[in-house]
Amino acid sequence: MGLSQTLLVYAMVCVHLGVSQHFFRLRPLPSEHLPVPDLKEDPDPEYDPREQDLAEKPLRKKLGSHFDPSFMAITAPLPVNLSSPDAQWKPPGHMPNEIKKLDLTETPYGKRLKLGKKARRKFLQLLWTYTYCPVVHTWKDLGVRFWPRYIKEGNCSSERSCSFPEGMSCKPIKSISKTFLRWYCQGFLRQKYCTWIQVQYPIISECKCSC
């Protein structure tokens, strides 16, 4: 299959495809915009947990089975690359049905293309690799008012367009929630009461090539 024929099939396939503390926010709000933006915190250190409030044993007990070392850390993780460039663009698992079932013989101009099984398989693999949108993970410091303090967030790769012609990009389509402890204070100064409460923190779990 020549280059011009390949580009024609690719363009045709793209047509098929589609197309606070007291007055600050207390917890991440449900949102279509992920990852979660940084919360606006009261900068007064009076609202920070004290050293005795950060004892690991009682906090682990309070969080219970929600503690997930795959997505949270008590101390700063080592600065390692969680998603290597080679792994990012290698689709895992099985080829999606929406790609596998594409009719590559039909063109927008009514003409039919002849493709052998080997050429079809290679082209579909190329298409799958090019449109695949990995979740890229990075560690984020939530600050002293969250426990565990560090969360492994998911982001949709934005290194390049995921479509041909260019224009579509990788966007989040699914998320999961992890339970953290949040230091919550009511009242002001000496009259305040503070305690740890459980909050849900959404994390991107799947990305897809979309307009």
Side-chain angles (χ1 to χ4, degrees):
M1 184 167 57
L3 177 60
S4 59
Q5 192 179 30
T6 300
L7 293 178
L8 175 61
V9 174
Y10 208 108
M12 176 269 294
V13 168
C14 290
V15 172
H16 278 270
L17 287 177
V19 213
S20 97
Q21 304 284 86
H22 65 156
F23 54 85
F24 288 85
R25 279 191 290 168
L26 168 64
R27 67 191 73 192
L29 298 176
S31 173
E32 295 180 356
H33 303 289
L34 293 176
V36 175
D38 294 338
L39 298 180
K40 294 182 179 180
E41 299 274 19
D42 188 328
D44 191 342
E46 284 291 327
Y47 292 95
D48 290 345
R50 300 161 298 178
E51 184 176 352
Q52 58 265 39
D53 298 316
L54 294 169
E56 181 178 340
K57 188 174 181 179
L59 291 180
R60 274 186 175 270
K61 184 177 180 180
K62 192 173 185 68
L63 191 57
S65 61
H66 295 298
F67 185 84
D68 186 350
S70 298
F71 285 91
M72 53 188 70
I74 300 171
T75 57
L78 294 175
V80 294
N81 187 7
L82 298 175
S83 303
S84 66
D86 292 336
Q88 284 185 28
W89 299 107
K90 185 178 181 180
H94 300 286
M95 183 180 295
N97 286 331
E98 61 182 0
I99 294 180
K100 188 184 301 183
K101 294 181 179 180
L102 284 173
D103 183 1
L104 301 182
T105 64
E106 183 182 352
T107 72
Y109 308 105
K111 294 183 178 181
R112 309 290 293 185
L113 295 176
K114 292 183 179 180
L115 290 177
K117 290 184 178 180
K118 187 175 181 180
R120 172 184 169 82
R121 184 171 63 252
K122 286 186 176 181
F123 182 80
L124 291 180
Q125 184 66 42
L126 171 66
L127 177 65
W128 184 24
T129 301
Y130 196 86
T131 59
Y132 170 61
C133 289
V135 178
V136 182
H137 291 101
T138 54
W139 284 102
K140 179 179 180 180
D141 184 357
L142 297 176
V144 71
R145 295 174 188 174
F146 279 89
W147 196 93
R149 178 169 178 164
Y150 299 91
I151 182 173
K152 188 168 73 173
E153 276 197 326
N155 293 269
C156 296
S157 178
S158 58
E159 293 181 4
R160 59 168 175 79
S161 174
C162 56
S163 66
F164 181 87
E166 293 187 357
M168 299 172 73
S169 59
C170 294
K171 296 182 180 180
I173 60 168
K174 289 184 180 179
S175 65
I176 57 175
S177 291
K178 295 296 177 180
T179 300
F180 284 74
L181 297 180
R182 170 71 160 153
W183 186 246
Y184 174 54
C185 293
Q186 289 181 308
F188 298 90
L189 301 178
R190 294 182 180 180
Q191 301 298 319
K192 73 180 185 302
Y193 168 76
C194 300
T195 188
W196 290 103
I197 62 172
Q198 292 188 357
V199 296
Q200 296 287 308
Y201 198 103
I203 303 171
I204 294 172
S205 60
E206 186 175 342
C207 304
K208 187 174 183 180
C209 190
S210 179
C211 297

